[in-house]
Each structure stands twice: as structure tokens, then as C-alpha cells.
Amino acid sequence: MADAPPQATTVRGPRKDQARNRRRLLDAAREAFKDLGPDAGIDGIARRAGVGATTFYRHFPTKDDLVDALIDELSEDARDAAGRAAGSTDGWTAFRTVFTRGCVPHEEDLALFDTLCRTGPRAAERGLRATVELIGPVVERARREGLLRADATVEDIAAFMRMADSAASAGQRRRAHDVLLAGLRSRGGADDA
């Protein structure tokens, strides 16, 4: 007797109400973290979203899972910007673009990204990892082209970006970028020693 052909299984996406609730939770969490900082709580976020705690936990088993989703979401535009920068014909221009645009290209989301990264060690690590993944290719390219100090690691550059991004005003941030970039630029090996 021949084996019956395997039955095809249908993989369904989330129901519309599930997708809508998830989006409401993410939007409410953005506002809660903007208003309350890293200590925004699950109950308050669920209330803002108009759902119960059970619905929250169905989508995000922990607050860390919610923060991870928000960091990933905030990093999406930066991934696009980093991809466009990588297409530049000049390695330093690509590096400078990614360095000055940061991990989150929209000004209003920059503070939110920083807040999320301060919610705990897991979020800080995820934020650093997202930044490293975004800047790694342009860092390596600038290094290969002899444009970047050889002793500056991708993690160092991610930390410098976060330092500049924490400046109080756009003017201070521009000056911090200029100073840091001047220090990171290779001078034909003279400051690589």
C-alpha cells in the first residue's frame, strides 16, 4: 500500500484583532516611555492601549520583550539609511553619514531609543548590538580604505555615537560629531600608533 501524500499545512498570520492589539501596545509603549522614562510599567502601557494585562502578556511575555520589539522597530529606518550610505562611492562619506545619523535617524525617536536602552541590561545590550550591526559594514570599509584609526573598534564607535547623541541640543550634537570624527579619522597612519 502506497503512503498517502503529506497533507499541506496552512500557516496563518495573526488575526486582525491580534495585529491591531499588538500595534496599539507598541504605540502606547512608545508614548509611555517618552512620558515616564525607563520605569514605564506594563499595567500603565496596557491601560493606554485599551487592553488588559492578559492581552499584553499574550504579545509580550515580559517588559524586556516589549522593549526588544520597540528597539527593533526604531532601528528599521536606520537600517535603510545605513544601506544607502554603504552605497556611497566614498568610504569616509558613508562612515560619516552613519555616524552622524545614529542608530535612529528621526530626532524624536533618538531620545526614545536612549530611554529604552536604559530600561535594563538586556535592552542596553540589544541597543548596542543593533548599533554595531548597523555601523559594522561602514566601519570595516573605512578601515580597509585607510580612512579610520586602526585602534577604534566597532564597539568604541558605537559608544562614541551614543555619547554624541546624548548631547542636550542639536548644536552640541553637531559639535560632538565633528570633534569625534576628527579624532577617528586616520591621518595616514600617524595617529594609528
Side-chain angles (χ1 to χ4, degrees):
M1 181 169 155
D3 290 334
Q7 295 291 327
T9 56
T10 304
V11 177
R12 289 190 233 170
R15 294 186 334 232
K16 286 182 183 179
D17 61 327
Q18 289 174 323
R20 186 176 45 251
N21 284 341
R22 181 180 174 82
R23 179 76 261 154
R24 288 168 63 186
L25 283 162
L26 288 166
D27 292 343
R30 279 178 177 249
E31 294 307 313
F33 284 115
K34 283 179 186 177
D35 293 346
L36 305 171
D39 296 326
I42 290 170
D43 291 336
I45 291 169
R47 265 194 309 281
R48 282 179 188 237
V51 301
T54 303
T55 299
F56 178 95
Y57 288 115
R58 196 173 301 128
H59 291 277
F60 305 103
T62 67
K63 181 179 172 179
D64 284 338
D65 293 316
L66 170 67
V67 170
D68 288 349
L70 285 171
I71 288 173
D72 291 347
E73 191 173 88
L74 287 170
S75 299
E76 285 176 22
D77 287 342
R79 282 186 197 93
D80 293 340
R84 284 191 304 278
S88 172
T89 58
D90 176 58
W92 187 254
T93 299
F95 175 77
R96 181 181 178 82
T97 299
V98 172
F99 188 89
T100 57
R101 298 267 325 256
C103 195
V104 181
H106 302 292
E107 188 74 25
E108 72 232 19
D109 288 338
L110 191 56
L112 177 58
F113 187 84
D114 183 57
T115 296
L116 293 170
C117 289
R118 290 185 288 117
T119 60
R122 176 174 155 176
E125 175 60 31
R126 189 168 195 106
L128 176 63
R129 194 169 53 247
T131 304
V132 166
E133 288 171 6
L134 289 168
I135 66 173
V138 294
V139 167
E140 293 309 317
R141 176 181 175 191
R143 186 174 287 123
R144 269 193 322 274
E145 293 178 12
L147 303 168
L148 182 66
R149 293 176 62 118
D151 61 345
T153 67
V154 174
E155 290 79 8
D156 292 336
I157 292 165
F160 295 149
M161 289 170 64
R162 302 243 321 125
M163 287 184 335
D165 289 344
S166 67
S169 70
Q172 288 176 337
R173 196 165 26 263
R174 271 192 309 279
R175 285 186 294 281
H177 284 144
D178 289 345
V179 168
L180 290 166
L181 284 165
L184 287 167
R185 182 113 193 212
S186 175
R187 305 284 186 255
D191 46 10
D192 292 349

